[in-house]
Amino acid sequence: MSLDLVPPPDWWSMSTGLFGGLALFLLGMDQMATALKAVAGDRMKDLLAKLTANRFMGALTGAFVTAIINSSSVTTVLVVGFISAGLMTLSQSVGIIMGANIGSTMTAQLIAFQITDTALLMIAVGFTLQFASKRESIRHDGGILMGLGMVFFGMSVMSDAMVPLRSYPPFLDFMRTLENPAVAILVATLLTGLIQSSAATMGIAIVMASQGFINLPTGIALALGANIGTCVTALLAAIGKPRAALRAALVHVIFNLCGVLLWVAFIGQLAAIATAISPTYPSLSGAERLAAEAPRQIANAHTLFNVANTFIFIGLTRQFARLVEWLVPEPPPGAETMAVQAKYLDEELLSTPSLALDRVRLEVLHMGESVDKMMARIMPAILSGNRQTLREIELMDNDVDTLHAQIITYLGKISRQALTEPQTRTLMDLMSAVNDLENIGDVIETNLIVLGRARIAEGVSISEPTRKVLMGFHRAVTRAVSAAVQAVVQNNELAARTVTSMKQEIQRIADSAAIHQAQRLVAEEPNRIPAYTIEIDIIEKLKRIYYLAQHMAKTVASDDTSDFD
């Protein structure tokens, strides 16, 4: 029969098979990633935070963390958080981002095993573990196994759907165009940018290789394109985020582009190395041998060039950092006039509640900084400030209210995830602490500002001895608020105990201040009664702020210290 007379495939059946298989593949990837992050989230975060002493250790850590949690984007988000919190420099983060590229190749290594015959068994066993076991750790293990089975089953469905294309000339002609590296790179870049998954692109490439549609050099070109396409995900994730996020995304983009440009001229040499280190099947020949050998060779080449790129560019981390800092400079002083926005809350981490809750802690620090500024300015303003100063402090509470609303909204989104009992308790404690911090801002805005205005309206002058008493009380309460924020942010029980142990000191200072005010009541001074009323009210409001700080700290402290009276 002439090739021209070969009937076209059943496009409807083939399309449903291809897209259905791809949907199963992506769903399995998501299922597996969710379970992995639930199992390893806390440990991977701690590992990433600690093992970044130098660029080589950073790259190794980035590779390991990304391989475990199966998401280079989550690794990048964590890095951005560490940079924003001042725990890591941009230069240190470059090595981690480079290493994350290596870790992301583990997915291709996994799917290259092509153990599709056991896919349905893996789904069945994983489902049983996930829904029949009462132990949370076993349920997560079941989720990982079930997700992995869906990945392989999706690949099997795609592979079966592509069988009719083996003898369809137009498709074969198109596949020959992919032998041009530029075309293959462009196709893989567009595909990865469209479906937002380099793993899916690699899965499709391995499926095509297993059907004998593409050879090793074409598979490598597709892998190079996937590396560029995944940059789209990084850039989209950085939209609307702090400068640290945009800089980290640009590091990812520049590193991947440089790596592809470096290797595009050496695809043949990379193919030769991948062939040398991969298993061969000399008993097979032609398309059968290509189908048996190419998937593993493509996966090995993908890992090889990412490892090589990291070793080549690891010595240039400072240069990468300087370049992105030049491309995304800090704004000039006073240029940013927009209302305050949350710095650390990232939607990408919602599927990993342990990491999302840690971001809330960092945002509590951000909110606490705004409250600290209000605390620092309020007492001098009450005692001797003018109306303009009081108005400025009053407006500062808008930032506190804005951050409070954003944090509570984010906590609400976390609450809709599958939380463990400890995570649920942590969420409730953080919600309580954030409400307490917002109430401190309200006490300053609603009560203390009013007292400052009353002092101005009634022409009251606060005596020097009284100023010293009130300032001393204010310093103690400010110290308690700062320690309470530290306790929540760092989950620091020692800082929490510091706040709760201040109860007697605060009560003593309050009693001493009240006695001083009673003694001053008989002083021969004008407006003594209005002054006394304002001074006593200041003491009461400061006591109220300490109570809120103590309540914040008790979300961390394990003791049962009674509430302040």
Side-chain angles (χ1 to χ4, degrees), residues 53-97:
N54 59 64
R55 65 190 74 182
F56 296 102
M57 187 60 73
L60 183 63
T61 306
F64 182 69
V65 169
T66 303
I68 294 298
I69 62 178
N70 200 29
S71 175
S72 59
S73 59
V74 169
T75 304
T76 302
V77 167
L78 290 173
V79 165
V80 169
F82 291 140
I83 296 171
S84 301
L87 302 175
M88 183 185 295
T89 65
L90 180 62
S91 181
Q92 286 176 313
S93 76
V94 175
I96 297 173
I97 294 170

Side-chain angles (χ1 to χ4, degrees), residues 244-291:
L246 182 55
R247 286 173 172 174
L250 277 178
V251 168
H252 191 194
V253 171
I254 294 170
F255 172 60
N256 282 16
L257 282 175
C258 289
V260 170
L261 291 173
L262 176 66
W263 282 102
V264 71
F266 299 101
I267 290 178
Q269 289 80 352
L270 184 59
I273 298 172
T275 301
I277 65 172
S278 303
T280 59
Y281 300 91
S283 59
L284 302 177
S285 62
E288 290 185 351
R289 182 170 183 177
L290 179 65

Side-chain angles (χ1 to χ4, degrees), residues 170-179 208 213-214 218 222:
F171 179 77
L172 297 176
D173 291 340
F174 171 72
M175 295 309 298
R176 277 191 285 272
T177 66
L178 294 183
E179 293 178 7
M208 289 194 297
F213 290 135
I214 61 173
T218 301
L222 291 172

Side-chain angles (χ1 to χ4, degrees), residues 184-195:
I185 290 172
L186 178 61
V187 169
T189 298
L190 294 176
L191 179 62
T192 304
L194 180 65
I195 61 180

Side-chain angles (χ1 to χ4, degrees), residues 15-45:
S15 297
T16 54
L18 280 173
F19 289 110
L22 180 60
L24 283 170
F25 179 94
L26 293 174
L27 182 62
M29 288 290 297
D30 183 68
Q31 168 89 7
M32 188 167 59
T34 300
L36 281 166
K37 286 183 281 188
V39 170
D42 278 327
R43 283 169 287 178
M44 294 305 100
K45 175 205 58 156

